[in-house]
Amino acid sequence: MRDKILYGMGVVAILLLARDVYKIASFPPEAAQGAIFKIIFFHVPAAWTAMVAAGTALVSSILFLMKKDFKYDAIAVAATEVGLAFLAINLVTGSIWGHVIWGIWWTWDVRLTSALVCWLLYAGYLMLRHAIEEPTQRATFAAVFSIFAFLDVPIVYFSIRLFRTQHPGPVFLSSNGSFPPDWTMVLLWNWIALLMLGIVIMLVRLGHEETQREIDYVRRMAHAL
Amino acid sequence: MTAVTVDGVWKFYGDYPALRDVRLEVDSGACLALIGRNGAGKTTLLRTIAGFSKPGKGAIRIFGKEPRETETRQHIGVIGHGIAVYDELSAFENLMLYARLYGLADPKRAALDWLEQTGLERVRDGLVREFSRGMRQRLAVARAFLHEPSVLLLDEPFTALDDRAIAVLQRLLREALANGKTVIMSTHQLREALELSSHVAMLNRGQVAFHGACTAEMVADPGWVYARYGEG
Amino acid sequence: MTAANDVSAGVRKGATAGRRRSSFTRLVFVIMAKDLRAELRTKEAVNASLAFAVVILVLFNFAFDLDDPSTRMIVGGLLWLVFAFAGTLVLNRSFARELPNDCLDALVAAPVSGACLFLGKALASYVLVMAVELVSLPVFGILYNVWFPFGQMVVVLALGTWALTVIGTVFSALTVNIRLREVMLPMLTYPMLVPALMGAMVLTAQLAAGTSIWGDSVTWLKVLTGFDVLYTAAALTLVETVLVG
């Protein structure tokens, strides 16, 4: 049953993406920046998806600490990994755009910098998990770290923005003109497609976590005998 | 009255049950010897009773209360695998620290008192890292008994003790039991433990395989319980 | 009257003969004093931290030309990099010092709340890191002829160091028995500290340039303070979960 949902969602997501790409290709290029501006259709929804993933990880971590049920721990790690992947897409698309427009791979733009710091933050979560052997301790410590990390996200964004207002620099991927409404529609549809892809990946990862726990259990049983 | 109740306790590491449905009652004034092979769950059980970790299922009650309550912790004394004293501090400083943490009214007197009881009064200002092994063990005993706990949880306390330390510990345990304190100790040193014990419980793969009074038969032949109730 | 009745009465009333209730503050002080005494007896972490700070300050001379006025602007950033790295050497020890002899077990078993334990250790680390920083400042001043107005600098040091200490102490507890602890702690703490370090750096740069921190940059003071308050609250709430499985 779960597999059917997975495949179904995956197919729908891919179809949506295909349709969106077709539509995007048919839009006229943006006045000032040319075709590369269309990368925004992936750049922005990727960030939004990452934010949803971070929120999911937070809720799941809190639920684990309250209920001690490992399925919440599995959701937390799966959501964080998905979030990291989409955040990486955000970073890379931003960087590509910068290179095409200005010839530089990076400039410490507010959103990109915030995204980078958050990426490092959540990468730390995965590193912490990797370093703790015992499953219950790993889940508990990771949950605490996840809560700390999420609290930091708004502060990071706010403080970097404050810094940039005092020390202005180039801004990546802003539209000088207004964003046409039919473009907004496609942007949103793209977000839905990316969200669905994210959920599919997460569900696959959840299955993997369950299998891993079973293996761990069997290994401990074997050692005890 | 019942001092310690272990009520249907399960403890999981991940999905693996280190303790399965453990049910035990230890009366006040009793001395329970907890025996079993390595990996049977003795340390896990003691640590759960002491409140170091929470059971996955079931409950522990010490005098009717949760082990983690501040009140209850005042009355529990623990000796684990480590001596739990600081190498960089002196014997006296270590005991003063714990006396203060346990809120004793006269920490200095209690510390000096217990240094004497464990034969360490002459090295009270020596740093623990310079102590011999036996001295360190005796300091660990002093630390555990310092706040006059009503329940003593000892994890293999006789292991790696020298003769003098064994004598000190046995004397202190006898006195404590005579004063109505409760002792649960896990052990491989069956003879020393069974001499003091009123009850014996054997754990096998996280379950209680045997629980009953300590008989003369057991003291005479410590391997008896294993032979009767153990597996191989 | 049996001993058992005595005992249960004691447990019920919460006070047996020879005991008094220790207040939270007193217990925090006991833990803090213990950590400080242990550290000052060996001085391992403090010496390493101080030596590290001085070496890096000297190395800056080869990387930057601090006589040039435009590079003096980066002074704020440099100083806090030094403090963050040197501070980690001290903070790493915080819960790590409880590992030998299983001392952490005895602390957790004692009738001391996790919050109390955390605060005591955090305050001890705070004192030590502040000491390293206060020694580094005049060294920096002498080597590079950069001087800060003392009162305002202490404010920035106090707020910035507390941020470093709170996060460092909690993560010291989280990483206490994992592999590669010394490497993991910085990798986990620095990204989380970005807002606080940024605030401290900006404020220090202002001070080096002769501007008051109470002027336009007061927002950064608010950011720092907010960060400190938020994470202290989070740490006090969650530390018990970390210490008791």
Side-chain angles (χ1 to χ4, degrees), chain B residues 11-31:
Chain B
K11 173 73 186 163
F12 295 96
Y13 292 121
D15 286 340
Y16 174 74
L19 295 176
R20 308 158 200 248
D21 201 24
V22 174
R23 291 171 197 278
L24 281 175
E25 272 188 17
V26 184
D27 288 331
S28 191
C31 176

Side-chain angles (χ1 to χ4, degrees), chain B residues 1 11 28 47 50-54 63 65 68 70-71 73-75 78 80-90 93 97-98 100-107 127 129 136 143 147-150 179-181, chain C residues 3-5 7-8 10-16 18-22 27 30-31 34-35 37-39 41-42 93 97-98 100-114 121 240-241 243-245:
Chain B
M1 62 168 296
K11 173 73 186 163
S28 191
R47 288 181 66 86
F52 290 138
S53 52
K54 301 203 178 109
F63 293 117
K65 306 212 167 182
R68 280 309 289 170
T70 321
E71 278 318 317
R73 285 189 267 169
Q74 292 276 6
H75 299 277
V78 183
H81 287 279
I83 55 174
V85 285
Y86 295 94
D87 283 337
E88 319 85 65
L89 300 180
S90 74
E93 283 165 348
L97 167 70
Y98 285 106
R100 289 199 180 108
L101 288 181
Y102 280 91
L104 298 185
D106 191 350
L127 297 184
R129 65 165 168 238
R136 291 157 71 94
R143 174 197 56 74
H147 54 288
E148 317 264 340
S150 321
N179 284 331
K181 318 279 192 204
Chain C
N5 281 352
V7 149
S8 60
V11 171
R12 277 198 303 274
K13 270 189 286 196
T16 53
R19 263 181 240 272
R20 60 169 174 215
R21 287 210 136 278
S22 280
L27 287 175
V30 168
I31 306 262
K34 183 268 295 178
D35 265 21
R37 182 176 293 131
E39 178 53 41
R41 204 147 283 159
T42 61
R93 299 282 308 150
R97 75 169 81 251
E98 308 296 339
N101 304 335
D102 288 348
C103 290
L104 188 58
D105 280 351
L107 282 183
V108 170
V112 169
S113 68
K121 289 192 149 295
E240 186 84 26
T241 316
L243 292 174
V244 181

